[in-house]
Amino acid sequence: MSRSLSLIAGLAVAALVAVPLTGAIAEKAAPKPAKAVATQPAPPPAPVKLGLGRPALPEEVHAWDTDVRPDGLGLPPGKGSAKQGDALFQEKCSTCHGEFGEGVGRYPVLSGGLGSLTADRPDKTVGSYWPDATTVYDYISRAMPFGNARSLTADEAYALTAYLLNMSDVIKDPDFELDQSNLAKVKMPNADGFYLDDRETSEKQFWNKNPCMKNCGPAPKVIGRAIAVDVTPDEKAGPKVD
């Protein structure tokens, strides 16, 4: 081998050796990637204001805030007796509910039914079923008379409430005036007939992760047809429907 060829071969070997050494140095010099750091998700963007509408005025909120709670919160000033409510009831309510709350046609019966809640066909009237006297006022003032709701004054609503309670013997004196201070104190016959919703505990067994979806019980058996059993009999002694 000539001297020039030997020099070229030596340079080639030096180059081959230098490449991995240079790469190792570069790899060592490069910064290591930072470890992933858990970050909190970005908060949702603020809603974009479209420039429509405006905040409701206090008087506008008051106009819609008309509900009355069982403890009497929401009752307005006013008063009325059963004697005053009698004339109002005959004028505004008897067409549907009868002169004494007995009901007309398919309109609801409002009086009577005391002690019937354990019967096969109980009469769920104001006196027999409703737990709170304030609910009577609330419903009358917001929904009655039928077709002309919210037309009654506070005094008229108190008087009609007193008339209904008097028909159910909840208020004995027809001259007794109901008002904002005493209506919530009236004890209804079925006040203790309700209890708080306990389905979160009493029905918890039905809400497990593996509900029964197949062969959970005997197949239902049709024992009668609506047309045969007459589900809306005229008399209370109608056939029993299982």
Side-chain angles (χ1 to χ4, degrees):
M1 181 179 296
S2 65
R3 184 177 180 181
S4 60
L5 290 178
S6 298
L7 179 59
I8 294 174
L11 293 174
V13 172
L16 290 175
V17 173
V19 169
L21 288 177
T22 306
I25 293 173
E27 181 180 356
K28 184 176 181 180
K32 295 182 178 179
K35 294 183 178 178
V37 178
T39 57
Q40 296 295 330
V48 178
K49 294 184 178 181
L50 301 177
L52 302 175
R54 58 169 174 77
L57 299 174
E59 53 268 31
E60 292 172 333
V61 175
H62 179 72
W64 284 96
D65 186 16
T66 60
D67 64 305
V68 176
R69 301 181 186 180
D71 61 359
L73 183 64
L75 282 171
K79 61 183 179 180
S81 67
K83 183 177 290 185
Q84 295 167 331
D86 187 356
L88 286 170
F89 191 88
Q90 306 314 322
E91 175 189 352
K92 299 177 181 293
C93 315
S94 61
T95 301
C96 299
H97 298 294
E99 295 182 3
F100 302 98
E102 71 274 19
V104 176
R106 293 185 177 274
Y107 287 98
V109 178
L110 300 180
S111 64
L114 295 177
S116 69
L117 296 184
T118 58
D120 290 340
R121 298 177 64 84
D123 289 327
K124 296 182 178 179
T125 67
V126 169
S128 70
Y129 186 67
W130 292 32
D132 302 302
T134 54
T135 307
V136 184
Y137 180 96
D138 177 66
Y139 191 83
I140 290 173
S141 64
R142 291 196 292 122
M144 292 289 114
F146 180 66
N148 195 19
R150 303 188 67 176
S151 64
L152 299 172
T153 65
D155 287 352
E156 289 174 331
Y158 277 115
L160 288 171
T161 300
Y163 183 68
L164 291 180
L165 298 182
N166 181 248
M167 281 197 299
S168 298
D169 291 330
V170 177
I171 294 177
K172 305 295 184 182
D173 184 0
D175 292 317
F176 179 76
E177 289 185 336
L178 287 177
D179 57 31
Q180 188 181 28
S181 65
N182 60 22
L183 180 54
K185 300 176 182 178
V186 175
K187 181 72 177 292
M188 298 294 284
N190 195 38
D192 299 326
F194 291 79
Y195 55 89
L196 295 177
D197 188 348
D198 64 346
R199 284 174 292 181
E200 289 189 358
T201 56
S202 63
E203 298 183 3
K204 188 176 182 179
Q205 57 178 321
F206 302 116
W207 301 341
N208 57 53
K209 295 182 180 179
N210 300 306
C212 177
M213 301 297 291
K214 184 178 181 181
N215 298 327
C216 302
K221 181 181 179 181
V222 177
I223 60 175
R225 304 288 182 183
I227 192 173
V229 300
D230 191 3
V231 294
T232 56
D234 295 330
E235 298 180 357
K236 295 182 179 179
K240 184 177 180 180
V241 181
D242 292 327

Short mmCIF file of all heavy atoms in Angstrom, two decimals, residues 43-100:
data_model
loop_
_atom_site.label_atom_id
_atom_site.label_comp_id
_atom_site.label_asym_id
_atom_site.label_seq_id
_atom_site.Cartn_x
_atom_site.Cartn_y
_atom_site.Cartn_z
N PRO A 43 -60.81 25.34 33.56
CA PRO A 43 -62.22 25.66 33.86
C PRO A 43 -62.97 25.95 32.58
O PRO A 43 -62.40 26.39 31.59
CB PRO A 43 -62.11 26.90 34.76
CG PRO A 43 -60.79 27.51 34.40
CD PRO A 43 -59.88 26.36 34.05
N PRO A 44 -64.28 25.63 32.60
CA PRO A 44 -65.06 25.91 31.38
C PRO A 44 -65.10 27.39 31.09
O PRO A 44 -65.02 28.22 32.01
CB PRO A 44 -66.47 25.37 31.75
CG PRO A 44 -66.50 25.41 33.25
CD PRO A 44 -65.10 25.12 33.69
N PRO A 45 -65.17 27.72 29.88
CA PRO A 45 -65.20 29.16 29.54
C PRO A 45 -66.46 29.81 30.07
O PRO A 45 -67.52 29.19 30.18
CB PRO A 45 -65.17 29.14 28.00
CG PRO A 45 -65.71 27.79 27.62
CD PRO A 45 -65.28 26.85 28.70
N ALA A 46 -66.30 31.05 30.41
CA ALA A 46 -67.45 31.81 30.90
C ALA A 46 -68.49 31.96 29.81
O ALA A 46 -68.15 32.06 28.63
CB ALA A 46 -66.98 33.19 31.38
N PRO A 47 -69.77 31.86 30.20
CA PRO A 47 -70.81 32.01 29.15
C PRO A 47 -70.70 33.35 28.46
O PRO A 47 -70.39 34.37 29.09
CB PRO A 47 -72.11 31.87 29.94
CG PRO A 47 -71.75 32.20 31.36
CD PRO A 47 -70.33 31.74 31.53
N VAL A 48 -70.98 33.28 27.23
CA VAL A 48 -70.91 34.51 26.44
C VAL A 48 -72.22 35.27 26.59
O VAL A 48 -73.30 34.72 26.43
CB VAL A 48 -70.67 34.17 24.95
CG1 VAL A 48 -70.65 35.46 24.12
CG2 VAL A 48 -69.37 33.40 24.80
N LYS A 49 -72.11 36.50 26.97
CA LYS A 49 -73.29 37.33 27.09
C LYS A 49 -73.75 37.77 25.70
O LYS A 49 -72.97 38.32 24.93
CB LYS A 49 -72.99 38.54 27.96
CG LYS A 49 -72.70 38.18 29.41
CD LYS A 49 -72.51 39.43 30.26
CE LYS A 49 -72.27 39.05 31.72
NZ LYS A 49 -72.10 40.25 32.59
N LEU A 50 -75.01 37.48 25.46
CA LEU A 50 -75.54 37.77 24.13
C LEU A 50 -76.16 39.17 24.06
O LEU A 50 -76.60 39.60 22.99
CB LEU A 50 -76.61 36.73 23.75
CG LEU A 50 -76.11 35.27 23.74
CD1 LEU A 50 -77.26 34.33 23.40
CD2 LEU A 50 -74.99 35.11 22.72
N GLY A 51 -76.22 39.82 25.19
CA GLY A 51 -76.79 41.17 25.15
C GLY A 51 -78.31 41.16 25.09
O GLY A 51 -78.91 42.17 24.70
N LEU A 52 -78.94 40.01 25.47
CA LEU A 52 -80.39 39.93 25.42
C LEU A 52 -80.96 39.98 26.83
O LEU A 52 -80.35 39.49 27.78
CB LEU A 52 -80.85 38.64 24.73
CG LEU A 52 -80.34 38.43 23.30
CD1 LEU A 52 -80.77 37.06 22.79
CD2 LEU A 52 -80.88 39.53 22.39
N GLY A 53 -82.12 40.51 26.99
CA GLY A 53 -82.80 40.53 28.27
C GLY A 53 -82.18 41.48 29.27
O GLY A 53 -81.24 42.22 28.97
N ARG A 54 -82.68 41.39 30.52
CA ARG A 54 -82.18 42.24 31.59
C ARG A 54 -82.56 41.56 32.91
O ARG A 54 -83.45 40.69 32.94
CB ARG A 54 -82.82 43.62 31.53
CG ARG A 54 -84.35 43.58 31.59
CD ARG A 54 -84.95 44.95 31.80
NE ARG A 54 -86.41 44.91 31.71
CZ ARG A 54 -87.18 44.46 32.68
NH1 ARG A 54 -86.65 43.99 33.79
NH2 ARG A 54 -88.49 44.44 32.53
N PRO A 55 -81.91 41.90 33.98
CA PRO A 55 -82.29 41.33 35.28
C PRO A 55 -83.73 41.69 35.62
O PRO A 55 -84.19 42.80 35.35
CB PRO A 55 -81.30 41.97 36.25
CG PRO A 55 -80.14 42.39 35.41
CD PRO A 55 -80.71 42.76 34.07
N ALA A 56 -84.44 40.70 36.22
CA ALA A 56 -85.84 40.94 36.59
C ALA A 56 -85.92 41.96 37.71
O ALA A 56 -85.10 41.94 38.64
CB ALA A 56 -86.50 39.63 37.03
N LEU A 57 -86.89 42.82 37.64
CA LEU A 57 -87.09 43.82 38.67
C LEU A 57 -87.71 43.18 39.91
O LEU A 57 -88.40 42.16 39.80
CB LEU A 57 -88.01 44.93 38.14
CG LEU A 57 -87.50 45.70 36.92
CD1 LEU A 57 -88.57 46.66 36.41
CD2 LEU A 57 -86.21 46.44 37.25
N PRO A 58 -87.49 43.74 41.08
CA PRO A 58 -88.07 43.16 42.31
C PRO A 58 -89.58 42.98 42.21
O PRO A 58 -90.12 41.96 42.67
CB PRO A 58 -87.68 44.17 43.38
CG PRO A 58 -86.44 44.83 42.86
CD PRO A 58 -86.63 44.90 41.36
N GLU A 59 -90.29 43.94 41.63
CA GLU A 59 -91.74 43.82 41.53
C GLU A 59 -92.14 42.71 40.56
O GLU A 59 -93.20 42.08 40.73
CB GLU A 59 -92.38 45.15 41.10
CG GLU A 59 -91.80 45.76 39.84
CD GLU A 59 -90.67 46.73 40.15
OE1 GLU A 59 -89.97 46.52 41.14
OE2 GLU A 59 -90.50 47.71 39.39
N GLU A 60 -91.29 42.44 39.55
CA GLU A 60 -91.59 41.34 38.63
C GLU A 60 -91.39 39.99 39.31
O GLU A 60 -92.17 39.06 39.10
CB GLU A 60 -90.69 41.46 37.40
CG GLU A 60 -91.00 42.67 36.53
CD GLU A 60 -89.98 42.88 35.43
OE1 GLU A 60 -88.81 42.47 35.60
OE2 GLU A 60 -90.33 43.47 34.38
N VAL A 61 -90.34 39.87 40.12
CA VAL A 61 -90.13 38.64 40.87
C VAL A 61 -91.27 38.43 41.86
O VAL A 61 -91.80 37.32 42.02
CB VAL A 61 -88.78 38.68 41.61
CG1 VAL A 61 -88.61 37.47 42.51
CG2 VAL A 61 -87.63 38.78 40.62
N HIS A 62 -91.69 39.49 42.51
CA HIS A 62 -92.78 39.40 43.49
C HIS A 62 -94.07 38.94 42.83
O HIS A 62 -94.87 38.22 43.44
CB HIS A 62 -92.97 40.76 44.15
CG HIS A 62 -94.09 40.78 45.15
ND1 HIS A 62 -94.00 40.14 46.37
CD2 HIS A 62 -95.33 41.34 45.10
CE1 HIS A 62 -95.13 40.31 47.04
NE2 HIS A 62 -95.95 41.03 46.29
N ALA A 63 -94.31 39.35 41.59
CA ALA A 63 -95.54 38.98 40.90
C ALA A 63 -95.62 37.48 40.66
O ALA A 63 -96.71 36.90 40.62
CB ALA A 63 -95.64 39.73 39.58
N TRP A 64 -94.47 36.83 40.52
CA TRP A 64 -94.46 35.38 40.28
C TRP A 64 -94.25 34.59 41.56
O TRP A 64 -94.52 33.39 41.61
CB TRP A 64 -93.35 35.04 39.28
CG TRP A 64 -93.71 35.39 37.88
CD1 TRP A 64 -93.38 36.52 37.20
CD2 TRP A 64 -94.51 34.61 36.97
NE1 TRP A 64 -93.92 36.50 35.94
CE2 TRP A 64 -94.60 35.35 35.77
CE3 TRP A 64 -95.14 33.38 37.07
CZ2 TRP A 64 -95.31 34.87 34.68
CZ3 TRP A 64 -95.85 32.90 35.98
CH2 TRP A 64 -95.93 33.66 34.80
N ASP A 65 -93.76 35.23 42.59
CA ASP A 65 -93.47 34.53 43.84
C ASP A 65 -94.74 34.49 44.69
O ASP A 65 -94.88 35.22 45.67
CB ASP A 65 -92.34 35.24 44.59
CG ASP A 65 -91.91 34.47 45.82
OD1 ASP A 65 -92.26 33.28 45.93
OD2 ASP A 65 -91.23 35.06 46.69
N THR A 66 -95.67 33.63 44.30
CA THR A 66 -97.00 33.63 44.93
C THR A 66 -97.30 32.36 45.68
O THR A 66 -98.40 32.20 46.20
CB THR A 66 -98.09 33.83 43.86
OG1 THR A 66 -98.01 32.76 42.90
CG2 THR A 66 -97.93 35.17 43.16
N ASP A 67 -96.36 31.41 45.75
CA ASP A 67 -96.68 30.15 46.41
C ASP A 67 -96.72 30.34 47.93
O ASP A 67 -96.05 31.19 48.49
CB ASP A 67 -95.63 29.09 46.05
CG ASP A 67 -94.26 29.46 46.57
OD1 ASP A 67 -93.79 30.56 46.24
OD2 ASP A 67 -93.67 28.66 47.32
N VAL A 68 -97.53 29.49 48.56
CA VAL A 68 -97.67 29.49 50.02
C VAL A 68 -97.19 28.15 50.53
O VAL A 68 -97.62 27.09 50.06
CB VAL A 68 -99.13 29.72 50.44
CG1 VAL A 68 -99.27 29.64 51.95
CG2 VAL A 68 -99.61 31.07 49.94
N ARG A 69 -96.30 28.18 51.51
CA ARG A 69 -95.71 26.95 52.02
C ARG A 69 -96.52 26.41 53.20
O ARG A 69 -97.34 27.12 53.79
CB ARG A 69 -94.27 27.22 52.45
CG ARG A 69 -93.42 27.73 51.31
CD ARG A 69 -91.99 27.98 51.74
NE ARG A 69 -91.22 28.60 50.68
CZ ARG A 69 -89.93 28.94 50.78
NH1 ARG A 69 -89.27 28.69 51.90
NH2 ARG A 69 -89.31 29.50 49.77
N PRO A 70 -96.30 25.14 53.56
CA PRO A 70 -97.06 24.56 54.66
C PRO A 70 -96.94 25.32 55.97
O PRO A 70 -97.89 25.33 56.76
CB PRO A 70 -96.46 23.16 54.78
CG PRO A 70 -95.97 22.83 53.42
CD PRO A 70 -95.47 24.13 52.87
N ASP A 71 -95.80 25.97 56.20
CA ASP A 71 -95.64 26.72 57.45
C ASP A 71 -96.24 28.11 57.38
O ASP A 71 -96.11 28.88 58.34
CB ASP A 71 -94.16 26.80 57.82
CG ASP A 71 -93.34 27.54 56.76
OD1 ASP A 71 -93.91 27.95 55.73
OD2 ASP A 71 -92.12 27.67 56.95
N GLY A 72 -96.88 28.44 56.29
CA GLY A 72 -97.54 29.73 56.15
C GLY A 72 -96.71 30.80 55.47
O GLY A 72 -97.23 31.89 55.19
N LEU A 73 -95.44 30.51 55.19
CA LEU A 73 -94.62 31.49 54.50
C LEU A 73 -95.20 31.76 53.11
O LEU A 73 -95.45 30.85 52.34
CB LEU A 73 -93.19 30.96 54.36
CG LEU A 73 -92.19 31.93 53.71
CD1 LEU A 73 -92.02 33.16 54.60
CD2 LEU A 73 -90.85 31.25 53.49
N GLY A 74 -95.41 33.02 52.83
CA GLY A 74 -96.00 33.41 51.55
C GLY A 74 -97.44 33.86 51.65
O GLY A 74 -98.00 34.38 50.68
N LEU A 75 -98.07 33.64 52.82
CA LEU A 75 -99.45 34.10 52.97
C LEU A 75 -99.49 35.62 52.95
O LEU A 75 -98.72 36.28 53.65
CB LEU A 75 -100.03 33.59 54.29
CG LEU A 75 -100.48 32.13 54.33
CD1 LEU A 75 -100.81 31.73 55.76
CD2 LEU A 75 -101.67 31.89 53.40
N PRO A 76 -100.42 36.20 52.21
CA PRO A 76 -100.50 37.66 52.15
C PRO A 76 -101.41 38.18 53.26
O PRO A 76 -102.17 37.42 53.87
CB PRO A 76 -101.11 37.90 50.77
CG PRO A 76 -102.01 36.72 50.58
CD PRO A 76 -101.31 35.55 51.24
N PRO A 77 -101.35 39.47 53.54
CA PRO A 77 -102.31 40.06 54.47
C PRO A 77 -103.74 39.90 53.93
O PRO A 77 -103.96 39.91 52.72
CB PRO A 77 -101.89 41.53 54.52
CG PRO A 77 -100.48 41.55 54.05
CD PRO A 77 -100.36 40.45 53.05
N GLY A 78 -104.68 39.77 54.84
CA GLY A 78 -106.08 39.61 54.44
C GLY A 78 -106.80 38.78 55.46
O GLY A 78 -106.19 38.24 56.40
N LYS A 79 -108.10 38.59 55.28
CA LYS A 79 -108.88 37.77 56.20
C LYS A 79 -110.20 37.40 55.55
O LYS A 79 -110.67 38.05 54.59
CB LYS A 79 -109.12 38.52 57.51
CG LYS A 79 -109.90 39.82 57.33
CD LYS A 79 -110.05 40.54 58.65
CE LYS A 79 -110.82 41.86 58.46
NZ LYS A 79 -110.98 42.59 59.74
N GLY A 80 -110.82 36.36 56.08
CA GLY A 80 -112.11 35.94 55.56
C GLY A 80 -112.69 34.84 56.40
O GLY A 80 -111.96 34.04 57.01
N SER A 81 -114.01 34.78 56.50
CA SER A 81 -114.70 33.77 57.30
C SER A 81 -115.48 32.81 56.40
O SER A 81 -115.70 33.08 55.22
CB SER A 81 -115.66 34.45 58.28
OG SER A 81 -116.70 35.08 57.56
N ALA A 82 -115.92 31.72 56.99
CA ALA A 82 -116.71 30.74 56.24
C ALA A 82 -118.04 31.34 55.81
O ALA A 82 -118.55 31.04 54.73
CB ALA A 82 -116.93 29.50 57.10
N LYS A 83 -118.60 32.20 56.64
CA LYS A 83 -119.87 32.82 56.27
C LYS A 83 -119.70 33.69 55.03
O LYS A 83 -120.56 33.69 54.14
CB LYS A 83 -120.39 33.66 57.44
CG LYS A 83 -121.76 34.30 57.19
CD LYS A 83 -122.24 35.04 58.42
CE LYS A 83 -122.60 34.05 59.53
NZ LYS A 83 -123.18 34.75 60.71
N GLN A 84 -118.60 34.42 54.96
CA GLN A 84 -118.33 35.23 53.77
C GLN A 84 -118.02 34.33 52.57
O GLN A 84 -118.38 34.63 51.44
CB GLN A 84 -117.16 36.16 54.04
CG GLN A 84 -117.43 37.20 55.11
CD GLN A 84 -116.17 37.91 55.58
OE1 GLN A 84 -115.08 37.32 55.55
NE2 GLN A 84 -116.30 39.15 56.02
N GLY A 85 -117.35 33.22 52.83
CA GLY A 85 -116.98 32.32 51.74
C GLY A 85 -118.15 31.58 51.15
O GLY A 85 -118.09 31.15 49.98
N ASP A 86 -119.23 31.42 51.92
CA ASP A 86 -120.41 30.70 51.42
C ASP A 86 -120.96 31.38 50.16
O ASP A 86 -121.18 30.74 49.13
CB ASP A 86 -121.47 30.66 52.53
CG ASP A 86 -122.65 29.78 52.16
OD1 ASP A 86 -122.69 29.27 51.02
OD2 ASP A 86 -123.53 29.59 53.02
N ALA A 87 -121.17 32.70 50.25
CA ALA A 87 -121.72 33.42 49.09
C ALA A 87 -120.76 33.36 47.90
O ALA A 87 -121.19 33.18 46.74
CB ALA A 87 -122.00 34.87 49.48
N LEU A 88 -119.48 33.49 48.17
CA LEU A 88 -118.49 33.41 47.09
C LEU A 88 -118.48 32.04 46.43
O LEU A 88 -118.38 31.92 45.20
CB LEU A 88 -117.10 33.74 47.63
CG LEU A 88 -116.80 35.19 47.96
CD1 LEU A 88 -115.48 35.29 48.72
CD2 LEU A 88 -116.72 36.00 46.66
N PHE A 89 -118.58 31.02 47.26
CA PHE A 89 -118.54 29.66 46.72
C PHE A 89 -119.73 29.39 45.81
O PHE A 89 -119.58 28.80 44.74
CB PHE A 89 -118.53 28.65 47.89
CG PHE A 89 -118.23 27.25 47.46
CD1 PHE A 89 -116.92 26.80 47.37
CD2 PHE A 89 -119.27 26.38 47.14
CE1 PHE A 89 -116.64 25.50 46.98
CE2 PHE A 89 -118.99 25.08 46.74
CZ PHE A 89 -117.68 24.64 46.66
N GLN A 90 -120.91 29.85 46.23
CA GLN A 90 -122.09 29.63 45.39
C GLN A 90 -121.97 30.37 44.06
O GLN A 90 -122.42 29.87 43.03
CB GLN A 90 -123.35 30.10 46.14
CG GLN A 90 -123.54 29.50 47.52
CD GLN A 90 -123.33 27.99 47.58
OE1 GLN A 90 -123.71 27.27 46.66
NE2 GLN A 90 -122.70 27.53 48.65
N GLU A 91 -121.32 31.53 44.10
CA GLU A 91 -121.20 32.34 42.88
C GLU A 91 -120.10 31.83 41.95
O GLU A 91 -120.30 31.76 40.73
CB GLU A 91 -120.88 33.80 43.27
CG GLU A 91 -120.61 34.70 42.07
CD GLU A 91 -120.07 36.06 42.49
OE1 GLU A 91 -120.06 36.33 43.71
OE2 GLU A 91 -119.65 36.83 41.60
N LYS A 92 -118.97 31.43 42.50
CA LYS A 92 -117.79 31.16 41.67
C LYS A 92 -117.41 29.69 41.57
O LYS A 92 -116.65 29.30 40.69
CB LYS A 92 -116.58 31.94 42.22
CG LYS A 92 -116.75 33.44 42.22
CD LYS A 92 -115.54 34.14 42.84
CE LYS A 92 -115.72 35.65 42.87
NZ LYS A 92 -115.74 36.24 41.51
N CYS A 93 -117.92 28.84 42.48
CA CYS A 93 -117.40 27.48 42.56
C CYS A 93 -118.46 26.39 42.43
O CYS A 93 -118.15 25.24 42.07
CB CYS A 93 -116.66 27.27 43.88
SG CYS A 93 -115.54 28.60 44.35
N SER A 94 -119.72 26.70 42.79
CA SER A 94 -120.73 25.65 42.89
C SER A 94 -121.07 25.02 41.55
O SER A 94 -121.56 23.88 41.51
CB SER A 94 -122.00 26.21 43.54
OG SER A 94 -122.54 27.27 42.76
N THR A 95 -120.84 25.73 40.46
CA THR A 95 -121.15 25.15 39.15
C THR A 95 -120.38 23.86 38.93
O THR A 95 -120.91 22.91 38.34
CB THR A 95 -120.79 26.16 38.03
OG1 THR A 95 -121.54 27.36 38.23
CG2 THR A 95 -121.08 25.58 36.66
N CYS A 96 -119.16 23.82 39.42
CA CYS A 96 -118.33 22.61 39.26
C CYS A 96 -118.38 21.72 40.50
O CYS A 96 -118.40 20.49 40.40
CB CYS A 96 -116.88 22.98 38.98
SG CYS A 96 -116.62 23.94 37.47
N HIS A 97 -118.34 22.33 41.67
CA HIS A 97 -118.17 21.54 42.90
C HIS A 97 -119.45 21.34 43.68
O HIS A 97 -119.42 20.69 44.75
CB HIS A 97 -117.14 22.23 43.79
CG HIS A 97 -115.77 22.33 43.18
ND1 HIS A 97 -114.99 21.22 42.91
CD2 HIS A 97 -115.05 23.40 42.75
CE1 HIS A 97 -113.84 21.62 42.36
NE2 HIS A 97 -113.86 22.92 42.24
N GLY A 98 -120.59 21.85 43.21
CA GLY A 98 -121.84 21.70 43.93
C GLY A 98 -121.95 22.71 45.07
O GLY A 98 -120.95 23.29 45.50
N GLU A 99 -123.15 22.89 45.58
CA GLU A 99 -123.38 23.90 46.61
C GLU A 99 -122.66 23.58 47.91
O GLU A 99 -122.34 24.48 48.68
CB GLU A 99 -124.88 24.05 46.86
CG GLU A 99 -125.65 24.59 45.66
CD GLU A 99 -127.12 24.77 45.96
OE1 GLU A 99 -127.51 24.52 47.13
OE2 GLU A 99 -127.89 25.13 45.06
N PHE A 100 -122.46 22.30 48.18
CA PHE A 100 -121.82 21.89 49.43
C PHE A 100 -120.53 21.12 49.19
O PHE A 100 -120.11 20.32 50.01
CB PHE A 100 -122.80 21.05 50.25
CG PHE A 100 -124.08 21.76 50.57
CD1 PHE A 100 -125.22 21.54 49.80
CD2 PHE A 100 -124.14 22.69 51.60
CE1 PHE A 100 -126.41 22.21 50.08
CE2 PHE A 100 -125.32 23.37 51.88
CZ PHE A 100 -126.46 23.13 51.11
#
